[in-house]
């Protein structure tokens, strides 16, 4: 069986690649657990200088695997999806993302916690939480209004409107938009490899300083969102919306 998360080590670079092409790289509990463990190990390993998260040149991730979510919904903040969020939030090493194709739900919100994000111009990003009877997660209800203003954030979080990779770069969600998926992944790899030549201690301290402002508030918001998200998963609205999604698929 093909690994749903492919881990590759190239000198000081750890690459985490989503690898469920038949499911549009949708994330399962097992995948979240593997991602969390890999990030924690990278954070503790002095020989890892940077982490690169990517999908394929056709698809980043369609977000949560809805069937897996319905069968084994997260019940508390120690569930695999929230352990992944915690490990990414706490990672002291620079995290770079290469994004092409669909980036849905947590496929978009995780980018808010990466240090450098390279997307294809035609990437399709969307956070359809309300559309599924759910609520925002991973600090997006705090970060996006601050980054975009309330009105634009409301469009993305209350209406679930999608946007392109080019828009993501214009709005500061991504670092740069490239002409193709291959170019976005190549640029992300190129930038990630630059950390081989940079002083790791200086990089980590600089990241710490950049992230320290409002860090505790962000942590609290993520926990509040997570508690409400797990409640919403058991709500009639979410059960109906998620079951309808499965039926249509």
């Amino acid at each position: 069986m093909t690994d749903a998360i492919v881990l590759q080590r190239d000198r000081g670079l750890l690459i985490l690649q989503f690898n469920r092409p038949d499911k549009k790289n949708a994330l399962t509990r097992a995948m979240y657990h593997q991602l969390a463990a890999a990030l924690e190990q990278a954070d503790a390993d002095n020989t890892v200088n940077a982490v690169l998260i990517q999908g394929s040149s056709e698809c980043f991730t369609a977000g949560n695997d809805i069937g897996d979510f319905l069968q084994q919904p997260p019940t508390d903040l120690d569930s695999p999806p929230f352990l992944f969020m915690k490990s990414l939030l706490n990672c002291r090493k620079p995290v770079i993302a290469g994004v092409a194709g669909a980036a849905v739900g947590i496929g978009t919100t995780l980018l808010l916690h990466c240090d450098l994000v390279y997307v294809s111009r035609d990437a399709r990003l969307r956070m359809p939480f309300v559309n599924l009877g759910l609520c925002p997660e991973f600090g997006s209800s705090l970060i996006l209004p601050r980054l975009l203003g309330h009105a634009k954030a409301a469009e993305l979080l209350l209406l679930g409107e999608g946007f392109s990779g080019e828009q993501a770069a214009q709005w500061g969600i991504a670092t740069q938009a490239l002409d193709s998926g291959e170019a976005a992944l190549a640029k992300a790899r190129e930038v990630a490899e630059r950390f081989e030549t940079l002083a790791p201690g200086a990089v980590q301290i600089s990241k710490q300083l950049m992230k320290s402002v409002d860090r505790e508030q962000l942590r609290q918001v993520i926990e509040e969102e997570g508690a409400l998200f797990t409640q919403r998963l058991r709500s009639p609205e979410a059960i109906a919306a998620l079951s309808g999604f499965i039926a249509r698929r």
Side-chain angles (χ1 to χ4, degrees):
M1 180 180 292
T2 302
D3 290 336
I5 300 291
V6 175
L7 277 65
Q8 180 186 348
R9 181 70 183 271
D10 184 4
R11 296 173 294 173
L13 175 62
L14 176 64
I15 303 169
L16 307 178
Q17 181 170 8
F18 307 134
N19 188 41
R20 289 184 79 202
D22 57 322
K23 299 293 185 181
K24 298 182 180 178
N25 294 336
L27 301 173
T28 63
R29 286 171 57 91
M31 292 168 72
Y32 279 122
H33 191 275
Q34 191 175 3
L35 288 165
L39 285 166
E40 289 172 7
Q41 291 169 9
D43 193 57
D45 187 342
N46 291 332
T47 66
V48 173
N49 296 319
V51 178
L52 172 61
I53 300 177
Q54 62 183 29
S56 69
S57 58
E58 288 78 37
C59 180
F60 186 58
T61 173
N64 290 311
D65 184 300
I66 300 300
D68 184 76
F69 240 50
L70 286 175
Q71 290 177 11
Q72 301 183 79
T75 56
D76 55 47
L77 297 180
D78 290 324
S79 298
F82 300 113
L83 293 178
F84 163 67
M85 293 181 194
K86 182 179 179 181
S87 65
L88 181 55
L89 182 68
N90 292 336
C91 188
R92 294 171 297 172
K93 310 297 174 68
V95 180
I96 302 92
V99 181
V104 180
I106 197 165
T108 292
T109 59
L110 76 83
L111 303 178
L112 303 175
H113 303 277
C114 294
D115 301 293
L116 296 153
V117 178
Y118 299 92
V119 298
S120 61
R121 296 188 191 282
D122 61 355
R124 302 177 305 282
L125 298 88
R126 192 180 176 210
M127 295 167 286
F129 303 119
V130 169
N131 309 71
L132 295 173
L134 301 172
C135 66
E137 38 86 320
F138 213 172
S140 54
S141 66
L142 174 67
I143 296 171
L144 288 172
R146 289 186 173 182
L147 185 64
L148 307 176
H150 178 84
K152 178 55 68 176
E155 202 172 49
L156 304 185
L157 292 177
L158 301 186
L159 296 178
E161 294 287 343
F163 54 102
S164 68
E166 186 164 12
Q167 288 173 308
Q170 291 171 350
W171 297 341
I173 294 172
T175 308
Q176 183 180 352
L178 287 300
D179 288 336
S180 67
E182 292 84 357
L185 268 58
K187 181 66 174 180
R189 177 66 177 265
E190 173 195 332
V191 171
E193 290 176 345
R194 289 177 57 184
F195 288 100
E196 277 294 318
T197 63
L198 296 171
V203 168
Q204 291 175 39
I205 289 172
S206 298
K207 174 172 176 172
Q208 177 185 342
L209 291 168
M210 292 171 66
K211 295 280 189 177
S212 63
V213 178
D214 298 329
R215 181 178 182 83
E216 188 55 38
Q217 183 184 13
L218 177 58
R219 192 186 308 277
Q220 290 174 2
V221 168
I222 291 172
E223 291 180 358
E224 181 181 359
E225 288 173 339
L228 292 170
F229 192 94
T230 58
Q231 291 178 22
R232 292 300 309 169
L233 276 171
R234 298 188 294 271
S235 70
E237 286 180 347
I239 291 170
L242 294 167
S243 299
F245 178 88
I246 294 291
R248 290 191 299 275
R249 188 182 64 180

